[in-house]
Amino acid sequence: MPLPRIGVPAGMTDLYDPVAAAVEGFGKGPADGRRSRMAWIVALVLGLLVLRWADPLPLELMRLKAFDLAATFCPASGESGQTVAVDIDDASLQAVGQWPWPRGIMARLVERLGGMGVKTVVFAVVFAEPDRLSPPRLGSLPGLPAGVSGILGYLPDTDQTFANSLRRVPVVLAQMLSEMPARGAPWRNGPDGSAGPDGSAGSVARPVQVQGRFGMVGPDKSFKMPAHTGLVDNILVLRDAAAGAGVAALVQDADGIVRRVVAVAQADGRLVAGLGPEAVRVAEKRSGFLIEANGLGVEALRIGEHRVSLDASGFFRPRLCGLDTLPIVRAVDVLDRGGNADLLRNRIAVVGVSARGVGTLWRTASVKYPVPSAILEAGVINDVLRGQWLQRPVFAGLLEILAMIGGVTAVGRLGGQRARCIASLGLILGSAVLVLLTMWGGGLLFDWTLPVLGLLLAPLVAGLAERRHERGAQRRRDRFMRHVVDASPDPILTVSGEGDILSCNRPAAALGMCPQSGLYGTAAPLFGLAPADLRILIQSCLAGVPVQPVEVTMRGAGSEPVWLELAVGVLDVDSVILIGRDITRRKEAQARLAHALADNEALLREVHHRVRNNLQGIWGVIALEKSALTDHPEALERLSAIQDRLLVLGRIHGQLARTGDLARIDVTAQVEQLCRSFTDPRIGDGTIVIEVGAAPLGCHIETAMPLGLIINELVSERLKDAFPDGRHGKIAVRLGRSRETVVLEVADDGPVPWPQGAESVGNVLLAALAGQLEAVLESGGAEDHRVRVIMPGRLFD
């Protein structure tokens, strides 16, 4: 934390300011803080890369939920679905019988569907073993009597009956891979989740038989796909009669949701199509498939005009939009009442089992409730026909890592937690909008969890790095400040808001304020202040009231008093710091200086008093000379003028001797006293009146003496010439400030104007005195009765 700025007196700034500046900058280098923050950011990036490589379950679930947004907001489609689900549900089993149904009933179901105009029938179940109602083949039971064998030869072959129905209607049968993938979430063999005859357990793997042909675009070496040992296929008589067969395999992710299904797989060294693409091929009467490959492996599967993007394992990601609105027909309705012909005409009918205990329900991201296998496979076929699927580009992983590194680094380089949070939020929103646009518009899947996680953690990690760096710098500053405080010659204490001592340095302990045994945690008189007074001072400082430094006196370790200048500053919310500067020597020097100043003032008063007495002595000598010159009136007049001038000087020195301010003369009092001191008898009997108007001004003695002599000369001249023959009149003396000048004006109302151009002693003296004051003499002309003296205002500041 920065040092508090306390009320430090002028004499203490030489100690406080350099130390405060050093402490404030100690360990605060911007480059150090930036390097520390970026080191933490690099560690965060490496940790996220390790996390992405390990791909723990929480991160996988976050990524899957992010991908589900693409399925939640399905694009609008102008055409209705081309599939219908024929569901063998609980009602169908109750009406027809337990599952698996006899192949004769299955044959009738296919014939009914073909009669209602169904384009293709797709079975989401595997008929891997002969029907239990069909007779065994001759020779299959060794030792059977000939008569019994003959009787069995006349029994109807239900498998053949079912096969005959498959030849009359285009039918696609389901197959199952005979093994699970080595890594990742389990993917199930068949939408009904089983591998037995008609969905029952106990099937065997048979070699691959493929109806559609495969072609490949791309270099042979680029074809890479996981290999499986074989398939769980249908019995031979049904397989030969069907129009096509496809693998019904799908992937259940860690959260149990189906997001990927097989489009093409490799088993027993051959390629086999997925059930959905195979159904599209048969429905559109295509002869085969075209596989596109690049240097990284399988890229897409073409079925005529349809192009399905694949991942490296041959899976694709259907959107499965509109599963809740997909038309469903019960199998029992088709068998008994023929079903809704308009609903089935020219559509692909997907037959599956949803009855309890037999079928399996699957969870998808686009529908909140589980759906049966028939609806799931129908949705997959619809997505292939509409071209609505999601694809993850091969460069997606690298782009996500680069986006995470760039975003985290950009946020980490910013200074200030607020700026980092705003930038992080902006990048998160921008990336979210960009990712969602690519999902909804182009069906591209990008994993935004890693960049978003990095952008969420970047401000937190950068803030933690800054706080750690700041705490380290603060610890270094604290150590530095402790050394400074201990090395200070001044007593320094920290005190709580209640006046309890928290800590002190060695000088404070040496003064006895905080002994080594300690007064910590106790209130004691500090710096000569009573605890109550000290508490008031501390509380005022904590309340934010400016506290001026105070001077206190206390007894030190010796008997001599110690003068301290005490400054109080806020340390934190409930404690203050007290700094005492020893000013004993300064106080002693001030006392000596004050004593010397008093002596000098007394000496100056004595000098002015003696000068005044000397001037009075000269005045007396001139008076004696005047008494001997009775027959020389002109000489007497000149000697009287000299006496008047000596009286003016003597009065100024007398004023300085009487007042305490030896450097400044009160001009107002001087002018009034001077105008009252004229001894003309006409003033005494009221014939001539002198009016004085002087503004409150002050000046130095060097200005006061010439100014007094000027006033004396001007007034004396008008008393002598302005009022002849005993005329009554008035003389006005005014002194005031006008902007940057001070103006002295002497005017009268007598009949005789001011003499112009006279070379008298008085005029010569006036010119010399005006030059001494840097003043200008102004007269209105031959008929004017006024004289103005304009002086610089700085002489009276």
Side-chain angles (χ1 to χ4, degrees):
M1 62 176 281
L3 283 176
R5 183 65 181 180
I6 62 176
V8 181
M12 299 179 69
T13 54
D14 58 339
L15 168 68
Y16 180 84
D17 289 340
V19 172
V23 174
E24 286 296 321
F26 195 84
K28 269 195 168 183
D32 294 339
R34 187 162 51 249
R35 283 194 296 267
S36 175
R37 186 172 67 248
M38 292 310 299
W40 281 58
I41 291 298
V42 170
L44 173 63
V45 170
L46 295 177
L48 291 174
L49 292 178
V50 172
L51 186 67
R52 182 66 183 89
W53 175 78
D55 199 17
L57 180 60
L59 185 63
E60 181 183 359
L61 293 178
M62 291 172 59
R63 181 172 63 255
L64 294 176
K65 294 302 180 184
F67 290 168
D68 288 346
L69 289 176
T72 303
F73 298 93
C74 293
S77 178
E79 60 180 13
S80 60
Q82 300 184 39
T83 59
V84 60
V86 178
D87 189 20
I88 302 175
D89 57 357
D90 293 332
S92 299
L93 294 187
Q94 185 176 3
V96 177
Q98 66 178 0
W99 184 261
W101 286 348
R103 300 292 162 80
I105 296 177
M106 300 301 295
R108 187 173 64 178
L109 178 63
V110 172
E111 291 174 356
R112 288 286 180 91
L113 290 174
M116 287 183 286
V118 170
K119 185 188 299 184
T120 304
V121 178
V122 179
F123 279 97
V125 293
V126 180
F127 304 99
E129 292 184 355
D131 187 13
R132 64 180 185 274
L133 298 180
S134 294
R137 300 294 173 261
L138 297 178
S140 61
L141 298 176
L144 189 69
V148 176
S149 299
I151 295 174
L152 292 177
Y154 289 101
L155 294 177
D157 188 349
T158 56
D159 287 329
Q160 188 61 48
T161 302
F162 188 27
N164 294 335
S165 67
L166 298 184
R167 292 186 177 92
R168 290 189 287 270
V169 179
V171 175
V172 178
L173 299 177
Q175 298 170 319
M176 297 181 187
L177 294 172
S178 61
E179 63 178 6
M180 299 292 180
R183 185 181 183 276
W187 49 284
R188 303 293 298 275
N189 280 326
D192 60 359
S194 60
D198 303 337
S200 62
S203 63
V204 295
R206 294 188 176 89
V208 174
Q209 297 292 331
V210 181
Q211 271 71 22
R213 297 190 300 273
F214 283 89
M216 189 177 68
V217 177
D220 294 339
K221 294 182 179 179
S222 65
F223 182 79
K224 301 174 183 178
M225 183 177 291
H228 305 275
T229 57
L231 288 176
V232 177
D233 205 349
N234 299 275
I235 60 176
L236 183 60
V237 63
L238 300 181
R239 187 177 63 228
D240 293 340
V247 175
L250 47 85
V251 176
Q252 278 184 300
D253 290 316
D255 54 357
I257 294 179
V258 175
R259 295 182 179 87
R260 291 182 293 165
V261 297
V262 166
V264 60
Q266 183 176 214
D268 197 20
R270 297 186 181 184
L271 296 178
V272 59
L275 184 60
E278 179 70 6
V280 174
R281 183 193 69 80
V282 173
E284 294 190 352
K285 300 178 180 179
R286 302 289 181 179
S287 60
F289 304 93
L290 184 63
I291 294 179
E292 296 180 4
N294 54 28
L296 299 177
V298 177
E299 182 179 1
L301 176 69
R302 285 190 177 273
I303 315 162
E305 297 179 354
H306 305 290
R307 183 179 185 274
V308 182
S309 298
L310 306 179
D311 60 14
S313 299
F315 288 84
F316 81 105
R317 299 173 181 267
R319 285 185 180 268
L320 298 177
C321 298
L323 293 184
D324 51 349
T325 61
L326 194 75
I328 304 175
V329 177
R330 290 182 175 179
V332 64
D333 295 336
V334 175
L335 291 172
D336 294 345
R337 295 179 290 274
N340 188 345
D342 295 334
L343 190 62
L344 294 169
R345 187 174 296 111
N346 291 326
R347 290 178 181 264
I348 300 174
V350 182
V351 181
V353 182
S354 68
R356 286 177 296 180
V358 179
T360 304
L361 299 180
W362 305 98
R363 294 174 56 202
T364 64
S366 59
V367 182
K368 295 181 179 180
Y369 49 84
V371 296
S373 58
I375 294 179
L376 182 61
E377 289 294 344
V380 171
I381 296 171
N382 271 339
D383 284 350
V384 175
L385 292 172
R386 292 174 177 174
Q388 293 181 354
W389 55 77
L390 302 172
Q391 56 179 323
R392 181 164 169 80
V394 293
F395 58 85
L398 178 61
L399 188 61
E400 292 157 2
I401 291 175
L402 293 178
M404 181 272 294
I405 295 175
V408 171
T409 304
V411 172
R413 290 179 63 87
L414 294 176
Q417 189 70 2
R418 180 183 180 87
R420 287 193 291 268
C421 291
I422 293 175
S424 178
L425 181 60
L427 290 176
I428 289 174
L429 293 178
S431 61
V433 171
L434 182 62
V435 169
L436 291 179
L437 287 178
T438 57
M439 281 184 178
W440 301 334
L444 300 178
L445 287 179
F446 289 96
D447 180 13
W448 63 346
T449 57
L450 190 66
V452 168
L453 184 61
L455 290 173
L456 288 175
L457 293 177
L460 178 62
V461 171
L464 290 175
E466 283 188 345
R467 283 192 290 272
R468 184 176 180 273
H469 177 73
E470 182 60 29
R471 284 195 297 267
Q474 182 64 44
R475 286 192 294 269
R476 292 190 294 271
R477 288 195 297 269
D478 290 343
R479 289 195 298 268
F480 176 73
M481 193 59 194
R482 282 196 296 269
H483 294 317
V484 170
V485 170
D486 289 338
S488 172
D490 299 317
I492 301 176
L493 295 90
T494 57
V495 183
S496 69
E498 298 300 323
D500 298 336
I501 300 173
L502 301 177
S503 65
C504 70
N505 63 349
R506 284 190 293 268
L511 288 174
M513 289 183 291
C514 186
Q516 294 299 329
S517 57
L519 296 175
Y520 300 124
T522 63
L526 297 178
F527 296 100
L529 296 175
D533 297 335
L534 180 63
R535 190 175 298 111
I536 294 174
L537 190 67
I538 293 173
Q539 294 297 334
S540 300
C541 185
L542 291 176
V545 178
V547 178
Q548 297 298 326
V550 295
E551 293 184 358
V552 296
T553 308
M554 60 176 297
R555 294 283 178 178
S559 59
E560 295 295 329
V562 177
W563 285 86
L564 296 174
E565 196 168 42
L566 176 62
V568 185
V570 177
L571 188 62
D572 50 39
V573 294
D574 57 355
S575 61
V576 298
I577 182 172
L578 304 179
I579 303 177
R581 166 63 65 89
D582 189 350
I583 59 172
T584 304
R585 292 185 179 180
R586 190 174 75 187
K587 296 295 290 184
E588 293 174 351
Q590 289 175 350
R592 290 193 299 269
L593 182 61
H595 187 268
L597 182 61
D599 292 343
N600 290 337
E601 289 181 352
L603 180 60
L604 285 175
R605 289 191 184 93
E606 182 64 23
V607 169
H608 286 295
H609 180 69
R610 290 185 180 275
V611 170
R612 177 176 175 275
N613 291 342
N614 292 336
L615 292 174
Q616 285 181 346
I618 296 172
W619 185 87
V621 171
I622 295 174
L624 288 176
E625 291 293 335
K626 286 173 61 179
S627 63
L629 297 173
T630 55
D631 54 349
H632 294 82
E634 184 177 354
L636 290 174
E637 182 179 355
R638 289 183 178 278
L639 290 176
S640 297
I642 293 173
Q643 284 181 311
D644 291 340
R645 293 171 186 135
L646 291 175
L647 287 175
V648 172
L649 297 177
R651 291 189 187 98
I652 293 175
H653 284 284
Q655 184 180 358
L656 288 173
R658 289 190 303 272
T659 61
D661 191 354
L662 301 177
R664 187 175 181 81
I665 302 297
D666 187 353
V667 178
T668 304
Q670 178 190 356
V671 172
E672 291 179 351
Q673 183 180 6
L674 181 60
C675 292
R676 288 196 304 269
S677 66
F678 288 101
T679 59
D680 193 302
R682 291 174 295 175
I683 297 176
D685 61 13
T687 302
I688 298 176
V689 178
I690 299 178
E691 292 184 353
V692 180
L697 296 171
C699 65
H700 196 267
I701 188 173
E702 295 178 355
T703 303
M705 285 187 176
L707 179 62
L709 291 174
I710 290 174
I711 295 173
N712 178 73
E713 292 298 324
L714 293 175
V715 175
S716 297
E717 183 68 25
R718 300 318 291 159
L719 286 173
K720 180 175 69 174
D721 298 333
F723 306 100
D725 304 329
R727 292 177 62 92
H728 288 70
K730 179 176 67 176
I731 299 174
V733 180
R734 299 182 181 87
L735 181 68
R737 186 181 291 274
S738 176
R739 296 184 180 177
E740 297 182 357
T741 61
V742 174
V743 179
L744 169 66
E745 183 180 273
V746 178
D748 65 82
D749 57 358
V752 181
W754 189 267
Q756 299 294 320
E759 293 296 333
S760 63
V761 176
N763 287 341
V764 174
L765 182 60
L766 281 174
L769 294 173
Q772 186 177 349
L773 294 177
E774 302 178 14
V776 177
L777 290 173
E778 289 185 354
S779 176
E783 300 298 327
D784 195 9
H785 296 266
R786 179 181 63 179
V787 176
R788 302 177 72 213
V789 182
I790 303 173
M791 298 167 285
R794 56 183 170 78
L795 299 177
F796 298 87
D797 292 337

